[in-house]
Amino acid sequence: MSKRAQTDELFNLDLIRKYDKAGPRYTSYPTAPMFHTGIGPVDYAASLTRSAERDMPVSLYMHVPFCDTVCYYCGCNKVVTKQRERALPYVDHLLKEIDLLADTIGNRRTVSQLHWGGGTPTFLNEMQIRKLMSKLHERFHFVSDEKGEYGIEIDPRECNEDTVHILRDVGFNRMSMGVQDFEPAVQKAVNRIQSKEETLSVLKEARAHGFQSINIDLMYGLPLQTTETFNRTLDTIIGFSPDRIALFNYAHLPRMFMPQRRINVLDLPSPAEKLNILKLSINRLLAAGYVFIGMDHFAKPDDELTLAQREGKLYRNFQGYSTHADAEMLGIGITSIGYVDGAFYQNVKALDQYYEVVDAGTLPVFRGYQLSDEDHLRRHVIMRLMCDFALNFHVVEEKFNIIFSEHFAVEIEELADMDKDGLLELQESSLTVLPAGRLLIRNISMVFDEYLRNRQQQVKFSKVI
Ligand SMILES: C[S@@+](CC[C@H](N)C(=O)[O-])C[C@H]1O[C@@H](n2cnc3c(N)ncnc32)[C@H](O)[C@@H]1O
Ligand code: SF4
């Protein structure tokens, strides 16, 4: 079947209209709105201590919230400031938090994955980057450059050739760059003016320094975007030939994200135009040789993400799709979320509070969620659906000691409707998502979300497409 025919099957407009409702992106299950303050630093310390006994490699996420200017669409946890000195106390407290963590989980615990996210991690200067990295290396043991995945989010406007050199020198080997759109009118409407030249120069420098799996973030649904304008952005991006492309659906939630109120809703593309942009993008990226991964990623056929998807070894975490097994994750810095000993833990969100708690020698966790056996089961089902677009009931039965058809009788009934609609194929011992269900994978996963079903969770999510 031609690639064009394949994508035509993805776009069944009637089905998309029928099923397109707000839903989680399932970077975790249960999702963050279920976290509660009944869980705090004492529970976190106990979980870290228990984790110390297992001594399995962990994954580290460090959040650097600062940005020089605000992009109006942004839904990330950020602090917008021109005052570079605001990074000073933040770095000092990150150093303290790293010590607190290592004191509890055990010195020199093995790390196989590190991610610095933001905000804009390169808001930090060279000295601050080096200080943080040497503290991490002092208190944790990092596996070799060939085996470890050490990534950083880059805003090309906050990064030059020297920065790339420094980042490689301190051990980063993966990079993800924010672009979104190259069209001048769109860039103006979202207050993010970023040239093709500065973006390409960072990309080239990163390649020259041996960064692997270089990713570019794009977004569809932004103000003033049309298929015609986005086609031009795609021309440029395909010309740059990054290893991976993430194509995010703009989540417009102005009640939650203040800067989005500066976007004129009349400038937003209509749902039909958004779908056309999505269709165009998928067609063009497949034609350019990329493989569609998970829900919103594209990767070259030889990229580790593609290989992981093919082998059923793709995972999903707060950073999106990952090739690293479902490891425990420690969050460092404000708002960051970790997953340790079967529980989620989230750090405080305000800088002042973060400084105060860390200065008192306490882990800065303010809420979390301890998964029940039922949560673990549903988390597994949703993760496999989001990554594999298929589910083998026998594997789930063996892993969780249940009879799938009995345990999920209500869900199977709901899935039967989706089967009739051609979204998926339900068999006695398996579920396979069909092309028409691919873009609706969040809706299929939502069937297994116990908290949505029981309406325990307020709907605060963006539309699926
Ligand atoms: C922390 S930012 C990337 C790093 C860096 N701050 C930058 O902007 O280049 C992570 C990504 O989240 C995506 N993102 C931000 N706000 C979003 C929204 N409202 N809806 C969907 N994706 C969004 C963007 O694609 C962005 O590149
Ligand atoms: S998209 Fe990146 S640079 Fe822009 S405000 Fe958000 S975190 Fe900051």
Side-chain angles (χ1 to χ4, degrees):
M1 199 191 313
S2 74
K3 281 180 177 162
R4 170 76 59 177
Q6 277 172 17
T7 48
D8 282 347
E9 281 184 56
L10 293 175
F11 283 87
N12 183 321
L13 285 183
D14 292 336
L15 288 179
I16 289 176
R17 277 194 203 108
K18 175 169 173 188
Y19 284 97
D20 182 23
K21 56 177 179 183
R25 296 169 49 77
Y26 291 116
T27 51
S28 75
Y29 180 82
T31 53
M34 289 303 297
F35 296 3
H36 60 87
T37 52
I39 283 194
V42 175
D43 307 279
Y44 190 32
S47 277
L48 290 172
T49 311
R50 278 193 292 273
S51 165
E53 286 159 22
R54 286 190 288 276
D55 202 23
M56 298 283 286
V58 291
S59 174
L60 299 181
Y61 172 77
M62 196 167 81
H63 193 73
V64 181
F66 305 105
C67 298
D68 181 83
T69 52
V70 67
C71 311
Y72 296 155
Y73 57 76
C74 184
C76 306
N77 289 306
K78 67 210 166 286
V79 174
V80 180
T81 180
K82 296 258 180 238
Q83 297 168 313
R84 299 277 154 168
E85 64 277 13
R86 288 191 71 185
L88 283 170
Y90 190 69
V91 169
D92 284 346
H93 288 83
L94 288 176
L95 296 170
K96 285 187 193 166
E97 192 191 353
I98 295 166
D99 275 331
L100 279 172
L101 273 174
D103 287 346
T104 322
I105 203 168
N107 204 25
R108 309 271 307 144
R109 179 72 178 259
T110 302
V111 171
S112 56
Q113 201 181 19
L114 168 74
H115 188 89
W116 285 21
T120 310
T122 50
F123 186 92
L124 304 181
N125 64 29
E126 173 175 1
M127 204 179 69
Q128 292 162 338
I129 292 171
R130 288 193 185 277
K131 239 187 188 174
L132 281 168
M133 214 41 150
S134 44
K135 171 59 85 182
L136 286 171
H137 278 266
E138 175 198 325
R139 300 304 313 263
F140 290 91
H141 165 71
F142 285 73
V143 300
S144 67
D145 187 54
E146 298 80 55
K147 292 198 181 129
E149 221 177 87
Y150 306 131
I152 182 162
E153 287 170 16
I154 296 288
D155 178 345
R157 301 168 304 164
E158 280 278 353
C159 181
N160 58 30
E161 291 170 9
D162 288 344
T163 329
V164 176
H165 170 78
I166 295 160
L167 294 176
R168 185 75 188 106
D169 190 46
V170 299
F172 287 106
N173 56 20
R174 305 282 192 284
M175 179 183 286
S176 175
M177 289 197 271
V179 170
Q180 327 312 340
D181 193 307
F182 277 129
E183 192 69 13
V186 177
Q187 290 198 351
K188 195 159 169 249
V190 299
N191 197 37
R192 185 185 176 112
I193 311 295
Q194 174 178 341
S195 73
K196 296 173 191 167
E197 293 72 26
E198 64 191 332
T199 309
L200 185 59
S201 127
V202 174
L203 182 77
K204 278 188 175 160
E205 202 60 24
R207 276 201 190 116
H209 280 91
F211 277 84
Q212 302 162 41
S213 291
I214 303 172
N215 175 72
I216 286 187
D217 285 345
L218 297 179
M219 218 190 298
Y220 71 97
L222 291 177
L224 303 178
Q225 258 179 358
T226 65
T227 40
E228 203 186 323
T229 65
F230 206 65
N231 202 24
R232 286 197 283 269
T233 291
L234 289 168
D235 280 339
T236 310
I237 295 293
I238 290 169
F240 288 0
S241 189
D243 306 281
R244 295 181 191 174
I245 294 163
L247 177 66
F248 296 123
N249 176 5
Y250 170 47
H252 188 64
L253 298 164
R255 282 207 290 183
M256 276 176 77
F257 306 113
M258 285 261 281
Q260 295 187 352
R261 295 178 199 170
R262 297 168 81 166
I263 286 180
N264 183 353
V265 280
L266 297 176
D267 286 343
L268 292 175
S270 68
E273 185 70 356
K274 261 183 97 170
L275 262 182
N276 284 336
I277 298 173
L278 177 62
K279 189 171 182 177
L280 168 85
S281 307
I282 296 176
N283 276 329
R284 290 217 50 195
L285 294 174
L286 292 184
Y290 286 92
V291 178
F292 196 0
I293 307 285
M295 200 175 73
D296 43 21
H297 281 57
F298 296 83
K300 290 195 171 166
D302 56 350
D303 188 85
E304 53 199 351
L305 213 53
T306 310
L307 304 180
Q309 169 157 292
R310 199 174 302 145
E311 291 166 12
K313 289 182 181 160
L314 198 61
Y315 297 90
R316 194 152 168 79
N317 62 26
F318 293 102
Q319 280 74 57
Y321 285 99
S322 159
T323 58
H324 268 235
D326 197 12
E328 289 192 310
M329 180 181 288
L330 310 185
I332 307 167
I334 58 166
T335 72
S336 62
I337 302 176
Y339 177 71
V340 185
D341 190 39
F344 292 113
Y345 293 99
Q346 184 169 25
N347 275 0
V348 296
K349 295 185 176 181
L351 286 170
D352 287 353
Q353 198 187 358
Y354 177 65
Y355 297 159
E356 196 181 312
V357 178
V358 171
D359 282 338
T362 307
L363 292 160
V365 153
F366 83 107
R367 64 171 186 169
Y369 188 92
Q370 175 70 55
L371 276 79
S372 65
D373 290 346
E374 184 66 23
D375 292 328
H376 278 293
L377 161 62
R378 289 174 185 268
R379 176 173 184 263
H380 172 85
V381 167
I382 289 176
M383 169 107 73
R384 288 338 310 156
L385 280 174
M386 298 287 292
C387 295
D388 303 339
F389 293 84
L391 195 65
N392 179 329
F393 301 164
H394 289 320
V395 174
V396 183
E397 287 178 332
E398 254 174 53
K399 202 169 158 75
F400 293 93
N401 201 17
I402 56 151
I403 296 172
F404 198 95
S405 58
E406 288 177 10
H407 197 95
F408 290 116
V410 179
E411 285 78 0
I412 287 177
E413 245 175 67
E414 251 180 69
L415 292 171
D417 284 341
M418 293 184 161
D419 179 301
K420 258 189 241 140
D421 277 340
L423 259 58
L424 48 87
E425 191 177 11
L426 199 53
Q427 287 180 319
E428 201 165 323
S429 59
S430 70
L431 179 172
T432 311
V433 178
L434 297 175
R438 169 122 205 181
L439 296 174
L440 296 163
I441 190 66
R442 284 158 81 174
N443 304 79
I444 297 171
S445 301
M446 279 156 76
V447 172
F448 290 95
D449 185 332
E450 204 180 12
Y451 302 105
L452 276 185
R453 179 176 300 283
N454 299 339
R455 298 190 185 282
Q456 271 170 267
Q457 206 170 271
Q458 283 180 349
V459 179
K460 272 195 199 165
F461 303 105
S462 59
K463 289 280 276 232
V464 169
I465 289 174

